[in-house]
Amino acid sequence: PKMKEDNCLHAALICLGMLYYSHAITTEKLNHARPSLHGHHEKGKEGQVLHRSKRGWVWNQFFVIEEYTGPDPVLVGRLHSDIDSGDGNIKYILSGEGAGIIFVIDDKSGNIHATKTLDREERAQYTLTAQAVDRNTNRPLEPPSEFIVKVQDINDNPPEFLHENYHANVPERSNVGTSVIQVTASDADDPTYGNSAKLVYSILEGQPYFSVEAQTGIIRTALPNMDREAKEEYHVVIQAKDMGGHMGGLSGTTKVTITLTDVNDNPPKFPQSVYQMSVSEAAVPGEEVGRVKAKDPDIGENGLVAYSIIDGDGMDMFEITTDYETQEGVVKLKKLLDFETKKSYSLKVEAANVHIDPKFISNGPFKDTVTVKISVEDADEPPVFLKPSYIFEIQENAASGTVVGKVHAKDPDAANSAIRYSIDRHTDLERYFIINAEDGNIKTIKALDREEIAWHNISVFAVEVHKQHQEAKVPVAIKVVDVNDNAPKFAAAYEAFVCENARSNQQFITISADDRDDSANGPRFIFSLPPEIIHNPNFTLRDNRDNTASVLVRREGFSRQKQDLYLLPIVISDGGLPPMSSTNTLTIRVCGCDSNGSMVSCNAEAYTLNAGLSTGALVAILACIVILLVIVVLFVTLKRQKKEPLIVFEEEDVRENIITYDDEGGGEEDTEAFDIATLQNPDGINGFIPRKDIKPEYQYMPRPGLRPAPNSVDVDDFINTRIQEADNDPTAPPYDSIQIYGYEGRGSVAGSLSSLESATTDSDLDYDYLQNWGPRFKKLADLYGSKDTFDDDS
């Protein structure tokens, strides 16, 4: 409490002193600012006369202390004019920034007061304009003049840091004094006046690890060999205090989080000296055997470890790779193992840092070694063939049962089980071969033909007798050796042409041969004529000794009329052992040629055309035949049209067919004027009446005894017969066919058959349901269902 009172007293004394100092300066300057109404001369240096211009105001700056909280307004200063005699005729006017609001003036005395508390940090100075005018006329007595009121600073703002929290990094094991980060604070007070904005930095938390420079705010390390693995993060509190750090100054703080970054100062270390592993002899190369791991407390690239095998009897059988995700060394199989040959291996594995910092090389070698012992486990292995593949040869056409070759496999296990052999029938679909299951001898089942299949590729299985699931497979290639069993033949189906006017010894075709056998049993081909026609009078053969032969004309003067076709046999033999030969026939046609030897025609009938009909005559004959055929077709068509009946009974359904019988007579007694046969369907005579509305599913067979007589005149019997037939016909639904019977006469006991008269009689039937039958029955519904409408209209 006493310290607080001393601070308050000290501040009050400072404020009073500044007020007194400001008032004294202002009064002194005002006293020296008395204007001179009349100019006067002054002598300058070296006798020069200086002329002073007349002026009414001479101003200096006014000062007022900020944050003044007294009960009375603060006197800023006083304005006075030389022409003011004190009689009250002069009026002082103040205008400008804050005039009348912050600053007020006594218009008689010229005293200026500040009516509000000022804050320098909001506004440091105000520009005002003063003027003296005549109180009665408001006439300016002096020109207006500007002056400045400055707000004097007091220490009312504490220092503030740019950030509330700072984060910085520094490498571990850094030397003492290593710069970490610079923190900066600012003070809103006036740095040009007093020590209100003079800051001093100090550390409140974080000793003894770090220190801070008092003037700059730079944080530095204070202890050597700080280890990240021991402590990684530090929290430091920095204070900035104004007034040069003296008592009574204001202060502000900030927090700084400092993280030690990693350096490679720790070598890798295996947690154990020996690793035990095992692997089956059936494992394949590339299979993982086990893992080792050396621990390195460093992180990132400083903790990267690479593994390698540097010694041991298993260097050729195993390899090690690095898994950089887990930082483990992965031991893998490099070659196939054999339990019966070697049962264990030993490796010496080294783990070394990838990146080494030269600054810490003195900490020792950044690597470590460990021994890895690997035991091989016995496994039930499949049989193993002595060779990875087999190639055998056999001559084609060899007899069935000929031995091709032998394959051999053994059981690599200590049990040495017996082996059984078989052929994969998917590779020998035609079943050319068979294998002895006991000894592996492969034999043929049927003869082989090289020209069909030159190579046979089969697969042979070997399985253990007591363990059928253990099997091995080996490819066997069988080459069929060629035997000269195919005679050469023409390379193509040759057909030669010779001109009638061909000259003697003229070549007209060159032939070649083809042999299906191998080249050793094929060319060179020898061409010749059979011995019986070696002296052929028409043609001769010349062997070109390049597997071709030329056919030449031996004589001149061929004639197509005498013979237009010649067949020339040619013998072709190959160079195989034993040689094979065949006789091939060359067809030679005689053709007519022009003087240049170009073929014109090879038809023998060309000379007989003049003796027969010409082309025009043949065309004329064909035209006549076509015309006759057209006439016959038209005649037959017209004849058929004349035989067609006038009335056609179609098989399709014919609806709304109205048949009108308009024959009238003199009544039932009149048998001459009307023939009842007109009311009968012509088909009814035969006992079958077709329906016109449907197509019956089965033919309706009329009952016996109902067949009407063709010339009957009993209309009542006829109608009753038709009604009975309709009632008993299951395939005859109602249809819209209107039958009109116009037979009328005198004294008929049957009465009128018209249905129109019944519409005018009263009936109890209700035909309103016809409205629901749809548009096709609309007309019928209008006829029978409109009774109520007619009654209403009437």
Side-chain angles (χ1 to χ4, degrees), residues 144-160:
S145 183
E146 289 186 353
F147 64 95
I148 296 174
V149 177
K150 282 192 173 183
V151 182
Q152 285 187 337
D153 182 51
I154 64 173
N155 189 19
D156 59 343
N157 292 281
E160 292 183 358

Side-chain angles (χ1 to χ4, degrees), residues 29 35 133 188 204 577:
K29 289 183 177 181
V133 298
L204 301 182
L577 293 175

Side-chain angles (χ1 to χ4, degrees), residues 708-726:
N711 297 321
S712 177
V713 294
D714 191 350
V715 177
D716 186 36
D717 292 339
F718 172 76
I719 293 176
N720 290 332
T721 300
R722 292 294 182 264
I723 292 174
Q724 188 177 4
E725 291 178 356

Side-chain angles (χ1 to χ4, degrees), residues 277-284 287-290 318 331-333 335 337 339 343 345 373-379:
M277 299 179 185
S278 61
V279 60
S280 173
E281 65 171 337
V284 296
E287 186 173 335
E288 181 178 328
V289 178
F318 300 93
V331 180
K332 295 182 179 180
L333 184 63
K335 296 180 180 180
L337 300 174
F339 174 80
K343 297 179 175 58
Y345 294 89
K373 294 184 178 181
I374 303 173
S375 59
V376 181
E377 297 178 350
D378 189 20

Side-chain angles (χ1 to χ4, degrees), residues 388-690:
S389 62
Y390 292 86
I391 300 177
F392 301 124
E393 292 184 355
I394 185 173
Q395 287 189 345
E396 65 174 329
N397 302 325
S400 176
T402 303
V403 176
V404 178
K406 182 179 180 180
V407 296
H408 183 70
K410 66 176 183 177
D411 183 10
D413 297 325
N416 195 18
S417 300
I419 305 298
R420 291 292 179 268
Y421 303 93
S422 63
I423 295 177
D424 184 2
R425 288 305 172 188
H426 293 90
T427 60
D428 186 26
L429 297 177
E430 300 295 332
R431 294 185 178 271
Y432 288 102
F433 307 97
I434 190 173
I435 189 170
N436 189 311
E438 302 291 337
D439 57 11
N441 278 323
I442 301 175
K443 298 180 181 180
T444 61
I445 300 178
K446 50 186 176 181
L448 305 178
D449 187 359
R450 189 203 69 84
E451 286 70 39
E452 291 183 1
I453 304 176
W455 283 87
H456 293 266
N457 297 298
I458 63 174
S459 297
V460 175
F461 289 113
V463 298
E464 296 181 13
V465 175
H466 302 292
K467 298 177 182 178
Q468 298 293 328
H469 64 282
Q470 295 290 356
E471 69 175 13
K473 185 177 181 180
V474 67
V476 178
I478 302 174
K479 179 181 179 182
V480 181
V481 180
D482 185 48
V483 174
N484 193 19
D485 57 347
N486 291 279
K489 297 180 181 180
F490 277 158
Y494 291 106
E495 185 176 8
F497 302 91
V498 62
C499 294
E500 289 180 306
N501 55 357
R503 298 186 304 275
S504 178
N505 293 328
Q506 180 180 348
Q507 176 184 336
F508 60 89
I509 188 172
T510 299
I511 59 175
S512 62
D514 188 15
D515 195 335
R516 296 181 60 192
D517 291 324
D518 196 3
S519 58
N521 294 315
R524 176 180 84 85
F525 299 125
I526 301 173
F527 298 86
S528 63
L529 295 177
E532 60 270 16
I533 63 167
I534 193 168
H535 298 291
N536 187 294
N538 299 315
F539 306 99
T540 184
L541 183 70
R542 182 179 63 199
D543 192 342
N544 297 325
R545 298 183 180 276
D546 58 356
N547 297 323
T548 63
S550 301
V551 182
L552 296 85
V553 178
R554 175 167 284 186
R555 67 178 179 86
E556 298 180 356
F558 291 92
S559 175
R560 283 180 290 170
Q561 293 180 349
K562 293 181 180 180
Q563 185 176 354
D564 62 341
L565 184 66
Y566 293 89
L567 299 178
L568 180 64
I570 298 176
V571 178
I572 307 175
S573 60
D574 57 22
L577 293 175
M580 297 289 292
S581 63
S582 66
T583 301
N584 301 263
T585 302
L586 176 63
T587 302
I588 303 173
R589 294 186 180 276
V590 179
C591 300
C593 302
D594 57 12
S595 58
N596 296 326
S598 300
M599 185 187 308
V600 176
S601 175
C602 292
N603 297 325
E605 293 82 2
Y607 291 95
T608 64
L609 289 178
N610 294 330
L613 297 175
S614 64
T615 304
L618 292 175
V619 171
I621 292 173
L622 291 176
C624 292
I625 293 173
V626 171
I627 292 172
L628 290 175
L629 291 175
V630 171
I631 293 173
V632 171
V633 171
L634 291 176
F635 178 75
V636 173
T637 303
L638 293 176
K639 188 175 182 180
R640 287 184 178 179
Q641 289 180 353
K642 290 180 180 181
K643 291 182 179 181
E644 290 181 355
L646 297 176
I647 299 176
V648 180
F649 294 96
E650 299 180 357
E651 294 181 359
E652 298 181 355
D653 183 13
V654 180
R655 298 187 180 273
E656 300 182 2
N657 185 17
I658 301 176
I659 302 175
T660 305
Y661 303 91
D662 54 359
D663 190 7
E664 297 183 358
E668 293 180 355
E669 293 83 359
D670 187 359
T671 60
E672 296 178 358
F674 177 74
D675 186 3
I676 192 65
T678 59
L679 296 178
Q680 298 175 352
N681 192 309
D683 296 333
I685 299 176
N686 298 325
F688 172 73
I689 302 175

Side-chain angles (χ1 to χ4, degrees), residues 120-178:
R120 191 200 68 83
E121 285 70 38
E122 292 182 0
R123 189 165 190 146
Q125 64 182 20
Y126 296 85
T127 301
L128 300 172
T129 301
Q131 189 174 20
V133 298
D134 187 275
R135 183 177 297 275
N136 297 322
T137 61
N138 286 331
R139 180 177 59 84
L141 301 178
E142 297 287 348
S145 183
E146 289 186 353
F147 64 95
I148 296 174
V149 177
K150 282 192 173 183
V151 182
Q152 285 187 337
D153 182 51
I154 64 173
N155 189 19
D156 59 343
N157 292 281
E160 292 183 358
F161 284 92
L162 299 180
H163 304 285
E164 184 178 355
N165 294 288
Y166 288 85
H167 296 274
N169 297 322
V170 64
E172 63 174 331
R173 300 187 180 277
S174 297
N175 297 327
V176 176
T178 301

Side-chain angles (χ1 to χ4, degrees), residues 696-711:
E697 297 180 0
Y698 58 89
Q699 298 295 334
Y700 172 73
M701 300 302 295
R703 293 182 302 279
L706 297 179
R707 181 178 299 175
N711 297 321

